[in-house]
Amino acid sequence: MTDDDVLDAHPLLFLVGTTASGKSRLGLELAERLDAEIVSLDSMSVYRGMDVGTAKPSPAERERVPHHLIDVADPRDTFDLQAYLGLVRDALRGIHARGRRALFVGGTGLYLAALLRGLFDGPETDPRVRARVEASGTTEELWKRLEEVDPESAARIHPNDRRRTVRALEVFEQTGERLSELQARAKEARWEDGAGAREQRARVLGIRWPVDELDERIRARTRAMLEARWADEALALAAAGGLGKSAGQALGYREALALGRGEIGFEEAVEVIALRTRQFARRQRTWFRRFEVRWVEGEAGLDGMVGVGVSVLGGGEGEEARART
């Protein structure tokens, strides 16, 4: 089976939502009802040792339902989108061979886009242009410049993600066009060629909360994670060599490490991490607006969400329901 075949053998099933929306809990219930195995759609759960700070499923939860794409990389190493997609294909082959479904659970919009629409990274790299962009400012300065010239790309790229920020600016300098516009045209071309069938067949369920309630959930979860010895985890990772460029983008580890070293207090750590997490959740919502998602309200409770989820992901609501947003 080819790489494309394994992605197209069955409709892809997704459970998405912002951080702290309750995806993991609902995902477990849905996976059991749908006879599915869970494939992580989270760019930070791939790293070993980053357990508390990424709210990774517990060993008991992973025993309850098989999980894939968790603990597959060293946090000091770079783990990129190509590596993720390669491991996804391997996981899908095994899941399908066992006669089961795959349920992608997580909140990384870039992974969702790549699985549904494929990869498009613009023109070939020009080393001279890239070097000039690299030398022209700090990561923060480059991201702010990107926000000015290509706000849509900036909304999808983490402010600490220097590699992708540089790439987007490089494309703009090379072509005079925004990377987001090139990507949109590439998507239109794929659909005109009939290559959008994968996205049309996919079933995407999302959990959403009113913003004020989500903010409270984020604050409560941040406090609980710090109480669960997140600072000790950050200290252990630092002692083992620290985090590489990719893993270093994970929210909260800088503050958790500062807390462990006695550089900031507990309440300050809660406030700073919660603030940055709320900002991240806003960027996630921007990502998800690009897709057809059947939203279920978190206030419906677990039983209510499970009922809707089984119907949507199991196909009971059909195409019309999946088109509602």
Side-chain angles (χ1 to χ4, degrees):
M1 182 179 287
T2 69
D3 286 348
D4 284 342
D5 287 342
V6 76
L7 289 172
D8 295 325
H10 303 280
L12 297 179
L13 310 180
F14 297 90
L15 172 61
V16 302
T18 63
T19 184
S21 60
K23 299 182 296 296
S24 296
R25 184 184 179 201
L26 178 58
L28 286 168
E29 296 288 338
L30 291 174
E32 289 183 327
R33 303 288 184 92
L34 299 170
D35 192 28
E37 300 181 18
I38 290 175
V39 181
S40 175
L41 195 74
D42 187 301
S43 63
M44 293 299 157
S45 292
V46 300
Y47 295 110
R48 291 183 286 272
M50 296 174 65
D51 302 328
V52 178
T54 63
K56 223 175 259 180
S58 68
E61 290 170 330
R62 285 185 253 177
E63 179 70 23
R64 177 178 163 189
V65 173
H67 284 65
H68 304 270
L69 277 293
I70 291 177
D71 293 338
V72 296
D74 188 293
R76 294 168 294 184
D77 296 337
T78 297
F79 185 89
D80 59 17
L81 182 56
Q82 290 281 10
Y84 175 80
L85 293 175
L87 291 178
V88 162
R89 291 174 176 120
D90 291 342
L92 290 179
R93 288 187 182 96
I95 293 169
H96 296 162
R98 289 185 288 276
R100 309 194 77 192
R101 297 180 179 185
L103 174 61
F104 290 86
V105 178
T108 300
L110 177 64
Y111 286 2
L112 176 63
L115 286 165
L116 291 181
R117 299 173 179 172
L119 295 174
F120 176 78
D121 196 36
E124 290 189 11
T125 294
D126 183 326
R128 291 173 299 178
V129 175
R130 173 162 292 189
R132 186 167 65 248
V133 173
E134 280 275 12
S136 64
T138 65
T139 300
E140 181 180 3
E141 290 168 343
L142 294 177
W143 188 86
K144 286 182 178 178
R145 188 186 312 163
L146 179 63
E147 193 175 31
E148 292 176 1
V149 301
D150 188 354
E152 185 174 343
S153 288
R156 299 198 301 262
I157 296 174
H158 192 282
N160 293 337
D161 191 339
R162 185 178 181 87
R163 180 181 63 82
R164 293 182 62 222
T165 299
V166 167
R167 176 56 178 159
L169 287 171
E170 175 195 346
V171 168
F172 183 75
E173 289 206 12
Q174 278 181 277
T175 66
E177 294 189 85
R178 300 171 180 175
L179 178 61
S180 59
E181 293 173 346
L182 294 174
Q183 291 170 329
R185 288 206 299 272
K187 177 193 171 186
E188 290 174 5
R190 286 196 299 271
W191 278 73
E192 288 173 0
D193 292 341
R198 184 186 304 162
E199 185 170 359
Q200 289 177 308
R201 296 176 66 214
R203 303 167 189 166
V204 186
L205 178 73
I207 307 175
R208 66 182 174 192
W209 293 83
V211 172
D212 57 343
E213 291 190 37
L214 181 65
D215 288 350
E216 287 304 313
R217 289 175 64 86
I218 287 171
R219 181 185 297 276
R221 192 179 77 157
T222 299
R223 182 177 296 277
M225 290 162 69
L226 288 169
E227 290 173 347
R229 306 178 71 88
W230 187 0
D232 290 346
E233 179 174 281
L235 286 168
L237 288 164
L243 305 181
K245 287 185 178 180
S246 300
Q249 296 172 31
L251 285 169
Y253 274 89
R254 182 186 306 171
E255 292 76 23
L257 181 60
L259 174 62
R261 290 174 171 169
E263 297 168 356
I264 61 174
F266 184 89
E267 292 302 326
E268 182 180 355
V270 170
E271 290 303 315
V272 174
I273 295 172
L275 172 61
R276 293 185 176 171
T277 305
R278 291 196 299 271
Q279 294 168 338
F280 176 64
R282 286 199 293 272
R283 292 194 294 274
Q284 287 179 301
R285 287 193 287 268
T286 298
W287 262 102
F288 296 138
R289 283 198 291 269
R290 302 171 64 205
F291 303 95
E292 290 189 352
V293 180
R294 170 60 160 92
W295 292 103
V296 61
E297 307 301 330
E299 298 164 301
L302 184 61
D303 289 343
M305 290 191 292
V306 168
V308 174
V310 169
S311 181
V312 173
L313 297 177
E317 288 200 4
E319 298 295 325
E320 291 183 3
R322 288 197 288 111
R324 292 198 299 268
T325 59

